[in-house]
Amino acid sequence: MKEAIKKVSVIGTGVIGNGWIARFLAQGYDVTAFDPAEGAEERTRKAIDHAWTSLEKRGLAPDASKDRLTFKDDLAEAVADADYIQENVPEREELKKNVLNTIDQHAKPEDMIGSSTSGIMPSILQAGMKHPERFFVAHPFNPVYLLPLVEVIGGKKTNGAVIEMANKFFESIDMKPLVLHKEIDGHVADRLMEALWREALHLVNDGIATTEEVDNAIIYGAGLRWAQMGPFLTFHLAGGEQGMRHMLEQFGPALKLPWTKLEAPELTDELKERVIAGCESYSGDQSVAELEAKRNEFLVKLLDLVEEYWPESKQ
């Protein structure tokens, strides 16, 4: 697959787009980027420099180089010579559809086109394309250059062979593709995170816990287990020798108890300020850049640990 895809085009260079660029460069690809925003190239190159230290610790491809990035001023020109195109423009449906239709018009007919959309279903985005069969959602997670998960979802008009090729391509760049069986708003991982996020907002809004206390509940509890096993295998162990069978028999009835609140609380000015003040308070004098550096250092070590205990994840 790497022989087939040599040149990658990244359209939209915000946080996610820049993360894709860093990963592609680290894997030894030539990358062409396009973003009409003023100062986009300068911000991208700065982001790549910031990510490169962590990427070096994880291991670079022999031919990896930050110098293999080129910016173009024209969208059509940016995709004309690419073998794979990753779209990352803001999460507005009409904007995405317009950009994707332009990409579809100027890209080579055999090129795969992926979208980083976090919630829009692929069938909606591919509706106006001339070659919808080569389009799919490729939804990554921040920081894209370190986190391996990418959700891959085809639309009603997507060719199944394209999904198979995309799956192999992402595996070749050291990612863990999760191919969804059906389309759904928000895909899988974001739906899980949103459910936890809604409940966290209720706990803060109702004065039960502060933002720091909610974070600590995850950091020192569930989060440590989820990094290795995820919720299902974690609960499987909670059932003792009989595993999930006993767990469901013993704790299943508790699912009917009205513990959680499925609806999000109203995002009032008061709640916003409580959340903002809480985050600013316990992050202290640390800037976002300093927090990102700490996060990256932690993730590099954590990924090494995950691969030590689940060696098949590196295969």
Side-chain angles (χ1 to χ4, degrees), residues 57-78:
K57 292 178 181 177
R58 287 290 292 164
L60 300 172
D63 47 355
S65 173
K66 293 184 285 185
D67 296 332
R68 299 182 73 169
L69 171 63
T70 303
F71 256 79
K72 296 289 185 180
D73 295 327
D74 180 73
L75 174 56
E77 186 181 354

Side-chain angles (χ1 to χ4, degrees), residues 1 27 124 127 151 159 165 215 233 262-263:
M1 175 56 64
Q27 290 292 323
I124 294 174
E151 295 177 319
N159 189 320
M165 288 190 292
D215 280 0
L233 201 55
L262 298 179
E263 295 293 331

Side-chain angles (χ1 to χ4, degrees), residues 26-27 52-62 64 174 300 314:
Q27 290 292 323
W52 210 252
T53 300
S54 298
L55 287 165
E56 287 176 327
K57 292 178 181 177
R58 287 290 292 164
L60 300 172
D174 202 23
V300 167
K314 190 64 176 174

Side-chain angles (χ1 to χ4, degrees), residues 200-215 274:
L201 288 174
H202 275 295
L203 293 171
V204 172
N205 189 54
D206 296 345
I208 296 166
T210 66
T211 55
E212 182 177 7
E213 290 164 345
V214 170
D215 280 0
R274 188 177 298 179

